[in-house]
Amino acid sequence: SLDFDLVVVGSGFFGLTIAERAASDGHRVIVIDRRDHIGGNAYSHRDPDTGIEVHNYGAHLFHTSNRTVWEYVNRFTSFTSYQHRVHTNHHGVVYPLPINLGTINQFFASAHSPEEARRLIAEQASEFTIADARNLEEKAIALIGRPLYEAFIRDYTAKQWQTDPTELPAEVISRLPVRYTYDSRYFNDAFEGLPVDGYTAWIERMADHPLIEVRLGTDFFDESQPINKAAVVGTLPVVYTGPVDRYFDYAAGPLGWRTLDFTSEVVPVPDFQGTPVMNYADADVPYTRIHEFRHFHPEREEYPKDRTIIMREYSRFAEADDEPYYPVNTPDDRSKLLQYREMQASQPDVLFGGRLGTYQYLDMHMAIGSALTQYANKVAPMLSGSPSA
Ligand code: FAD
Ligand code: NA
């Protein structure tokens, strides 16, 4: 028989939080992941050449206003005082984001007060009303006016979606934040920072428990290895954080995702762009942004002074073999998702969780918060009959 009380499929933050909670309650947990590393998309590694920490799946910024989550994650890592800020290059000029009074005054070469800027944007936004907007472009103009939309939103959105914004549904954006102050902090959360020793050290500490065994390079649908769907479902409780459509063999059809392509490069200069993230707002630049990883940890004195690592990010629709990153979430996707949710009723011993298991974008703090709640409400009761309970 299998010497475990719980199977966790996927070692991202959702799966590891469940595993850590179950192990500290005395249950024996096996975590499998088909990748050759733990941590899901939050995984990072030190570049062997420069020692700079590279976030393999795109820049990961930790931020939360949830005190329970903040206290929980602080058991495994301490955080730096990093605060995220983003800039964007439009027609060869660099502006601060999210759009704020600094962006507006730089763009219009003006010195508007908050009230004057509000009036200006309200007047420019009167071209369409939000209720009448027939597509993303009209909704964006209704929110921030045509000049700011055309400079900062139109081409960037087209690159993200590989679709002209007049062809995208208005619902893709609910709001476009404009700040009528010079505050350019990207997140508004009460707690923010980056893990002092990096993401992987944090993630490894969550998995470092005598009752947790991690098996990498192990796909839940590979029947040649002992922990697979056919062998364990119905025998042991399972927490599944892989794609929900894959679990049901795509019976209702594949759900749509966007994916990202990353290309990194070591550049022989001390500082490439002076900031961690630079967006490229215009259509003539094929990538959406450049990350420069040294700037996430200005406190790390060991980083080299003569080289830096940059990573360009490109966005496109995912094909079958691509990593699913952001749900496309068309009406067709939503109706497929409802069918998959109905199919889940036939799997009472399986909890579908996390980003892929629920088909929704989750920040790290949301995945961890959701796992803490689901552990208490659903997983702990499933485990109450297990030998070590
Ligand atoms: P994941 O981290 O995706 O983990 C799921 C795991 O399941 C993966 O390791 C996968 O290999 C495994 N798996 C899937 N199928 C199988 C199978 N059949 N068998 C075995 N294993 C399987 N969050 C933030 O808070 N801040 C950010 O700045 C941020 N930036 C992000 C940028 C990008 C590009 C993306 C995609 C996400 C970002 N996130 C960010 C979210 C974060 O990466 C995680 O998605 C989030 O923590 C949710 O974790 P998860 O455990 O649900 O999923
Ligand atoms: Na990010």
Side-chain angles (χ1 to χ4, degrees):
S1 75
L2 301 156
D3 289 331
F4 304 103
D5 306 316
L6 175 66
V7 174
V8 173
V9 181
S11 64
F13 273 118
F14 189 94
L16 282 185
T17 301
I18 298 274
E20 189 281 331
R21 290 290 76 209
S24 21
D25 279 351
H27 304 289
R28 299 160 303 176
V29 186
I30 174 112
V31 179
I32 66 165
D33 202 299
R34 65 176 177 190
R35 291 178 178 168
D36 62 2
H37 62 73
I38 64 170
N41 288 341
Y43 173 75
S44 72
H45 78 285
R46 292 272 181 152
D47 170 61
D49 174 31
T50 61
I52 296 174
E53 182 182 352
V54 172
H55 301 184
N56 295 48
Y57 302 92
H60 274 65
L61 298 318
F62 190 82
H63 55 96
T64 185
S65 292
N66 181 327
R67 183 171 292 278
T68 306
V69 167
W70 181 244
E71 284 171 3
Y72 178 71
V73 299
N74 271 274
R75 294 189 202 176
F76 310 103
T77 181
S78 42
F79 288 84
T80 67
S81 56
Y82 178 84
Q83 293 188 342
H84 196 46
R85 287 190 166 76
V86 174
H87 291 80
T88 190
N89 182 323
H90 166 61
H91 288 179
V93 178
V94 172
Y95 300 85
L97 286 182
I99 297 172
N100 62 67
L101 195 48
T103 323
I104 292 169
N105 277 331
Q106 193 181 340
F107 185 73
F108 294 109
S110 56
H112 294 310
S113 70
E115 213 25 63
E116 287 164 345
R118 258 180 223 285
R119 277 202 300 274
L120 174 72
I121 302 308
E123 190 200 312
Q124 294 180 345
S126 65
E127 186 180 338
F128 291 101
T129 66
I130 293 168
D132 293 337
R134 287 164 300 178
N135 54 51
L136 188 149
E137 173 160 302
E138 293 183 2
K139 179 137 170 209
I141 293 172
L143 289 164
I144 64 170
R146 187 178 287 277
L148 292 178
Y149 162 73
E150 288 185 347
F152 298 115
I153 309 294
R154 184 186 58 197
D155 294 359
Y156 193 84
T157 305
K159 286 197 282 190
Q160 280 184 308
W161 291 93
Q162 292 187 304
T163 306
D164 190 285
T166 58
E167 307 283 313
L168 287 167
E171 309 86 74
V172 169
I173 43 169
S174 49
R175 40 192 286 281
L176 283 174
V178 175
R179 291 191 194 146
Y180 295 98
T181 68
Y182 291 94
D183 177 12
S184 64
R185 254 188 90 172
Y186 201 77
F187 300 114
N188 292 314
D189 284 309
F191 310 105
E192 179 176 359
L194 290 172
V196 169
D197 313 317
Y199 278 97
T200 296
W202 166 11
I203 290 158
E204 280 171 353
R205 271 179 227 125
M206 291 181 77
D208 181 20
H209 190 288
L211 293 179
I212 299 179
E213 180 181 330
V214 178
R215 283 187 204 162
L216 299 175
T218 302
D219 193 302
F220 191 50
F221 303 101
D222 174 5
E223 296 189 6
S224 72
Q225 57 85 29
I227 305 292
N228 68 72
K229 182 185 172 193
V232 301
V233 171
T235 306
L236 283 176
V238 173
V239 172
Y240 175 81
T241 74
V244 61
D245 52 358
R246 172 69 187 91
Y247 184 94
F248 293 106
D249 256 322
Y250 306 102
L255 295 163
W257 293 87
R258 282 191 298 131
T259 193
L260 302 174
D261 296 314
F262 298 108
T263 60
S264 29
E265 190 184 327
V266 178
V267 188
V269 298
D271 193 346
F272 180 79
Q273 62 185 17
T275 195
V277 178
M278 181 69 68
N279 286 9
Y280 284 81
D282 302 334
D284 58 348
V285 177
Y287 39 87
T288 50
R289 46 188 178 167
I290 297 182
H291 309 272
E292 183 176 6
F293 288 104
R294 67 179 312 120
H295 292 294
F296 289 117
H297 289 281
E299 79 287 358
R300 287 185 183 164
E301 304 201 343
E302 72 275 19
Y303 276 4
K305 307 279 184 279
D306 59 342
R307 283 162 299 160
T308 191
I309 298 194
I310 62 166
M311 186 167 88
R312 293 184 174 84
E313 178 175 320
Y314 303 79
S315 180
R316 61 182 170 80
F317 284 100
E319 319 255 310
D321 290 334
D322 291 321
E323 289 293 345
Y325 283 146
Y326 300 109
V328 175
N329 217 2
T330 60
D332 191 36
D333 288 322
R334 286 196 290 273
S335 98
K336 288 176 190 168
L337 182 61
L338 282 178
Q339 295 177 59
Y340 287 122
R341 291 223 182 107
E342 277 166 27
M343 295 177 205
Q344 289 173 24
S346 69
Q347 308 287 301
D349 301 333
V350 182
L351 173 76
F352 294 82
R355 209 170 56 82
L356 303 167
T358 60
Y359 189 66
Q360 58 181 325
Y361 178 78
L362 296 177
D363 270 328
M364 294 177 278
H365 68 282
M366 298 159 81
I368 293 164
S370 156
L372 290 173
T373 310
Q374 301 263 48
Y375 178 76
N377 295 344
K378 297 197 177 138
V379 183
M382 291 202 279
L383 291 169
S384 60
S386 74
S388 43

